[in-house]
Amino acid sequence: MSIQTEKSIQTEKSIQTEKSIQTAGQAPVEAAEPSPNSTHSLTTTDHVDVRGPRFTAWVTTAALVVVLLAAMWAPIVAIVLIAGQTVVFAIGAAYGPRNHPYGRIYAMLVAPHRAPASETEPVAPLRFAQLLGFGFAAVGLAGFTFGSTVVGAVFAGLALFAAFLNAAFGICLGCQIYPMVARVRRTASPATN
């Protein structure tokens, strides 16, 4: 079964079990987002319109392209830009896609002019994807800051690759990895109690 088919089946199931209210041009209203320390199941009803994270991925792609271009001519500019993107990733990981700075731009400027959401995706994997982006960007920031342009460029490039895959093809690497991490986390949790 292809990834698109699986995604379509998951989306249909999500829509059928959706308990949130949809309004014209806006993604479903989610229940309170889980804290990073909660044991939140994979069958969450917290979903967002898939177009929001894809918009976020396009903006992130553009920002990281500018970081890599700036690294060639103005390393200080690259440091400032990747520091900003690192903060943006941290906000997305901590507070979810609705509170992500680029997600807010989407919600205020783009979503009101679009049709209601026809496809949604869960919030938890998106938060994990932002955490991975944060890790890549933080290592890239450290590389640029401490004079290792190669390390900075490689890790900024990894974040760019992941953002571009999501933006252009709808493939969220962090979302693909999330179920494995959640499974490991669930099996590790009973051992710690």
Side-chain angles (χ1 to χ4, degrees):
M1 189 179 319
S2 73
I3 293 174
Q4 281 299 82
T5 306
E6 288 178 11
K7 203 177 224 184
S8 297
I9 292 170
Q10 289 173 346
T11 302
E12 288 174 12
K13 287 180 182 177
S14 298
I15 291 171
Q16 290 173 356
T17 60
E18 191 78 39
K19 293 180 182 177
S20 53
I21 301 169
Q22 290 186 340
T23 58
Q26 296 179 352
V29 177
E30 68 182 81
E33 289 190 27
S35 74
N37 299 328
S38 71
T39 54
H40 197 70
S41 92
L42 289 174
T43 58
T44 178
T45 58
D46 300 334
H47 286 69
V48 293
D49 179 350
V50 296
R51 297 170 297 184
R54 289 196 70 183
F55 172 85
T56 296
W58 276 118
V59 176
T60 301
T61 297
L64 292 169
V65 165
V66 172
V67 165
L68 291 174
L69 291 173
M72 292 189 284
W73 294 289
I76 297 299
V77 173
I79 290 170
V80 171
L81 292 173
I82 198 150
Q85 185 59 50
T86 303
V87 170
V88 167
F89 278 133
I91 292 168
Y95 301 109
R98 282 194 178 77
N99 295 311
H100 188 287
Y102 305 153
R104 287 189 172 272
I105 292 169
Y106 175 81
M108 289 187 307
L109 302 178
V110 180
H113 304 287
R114 313 267 330 249
S118 61
E119 185 178 353
T120 62
E121 60 186 326
V123 168
L126 295 170
R127 290 179 70 181
F128 180 74
Q130 290 293 305
L131 182 63
L132 287 180
F134 170 78
F136 288 145
V139 174
L141 174 61
F144 287 131
T145 301
F146 296 113
S148 180
T149 307
V150 171
V151 170
V154 165
F155 280 89
L158 288 170
L160 171 61
F161 175 72
F164 180 73
L165 272 180
N166 191 8
F169 305 108
I171 299 170
C172 173
L173 291 180
C175 300
Q176 299 299 318
I177 296 169
Y178 177 78
M180 292 181 284
V181 172
R183 193 174 305 122
V184 168
R185 194 169 155 201
R186 267 196 314 258
T187 58
S189 293
T192 60
N193 288 335

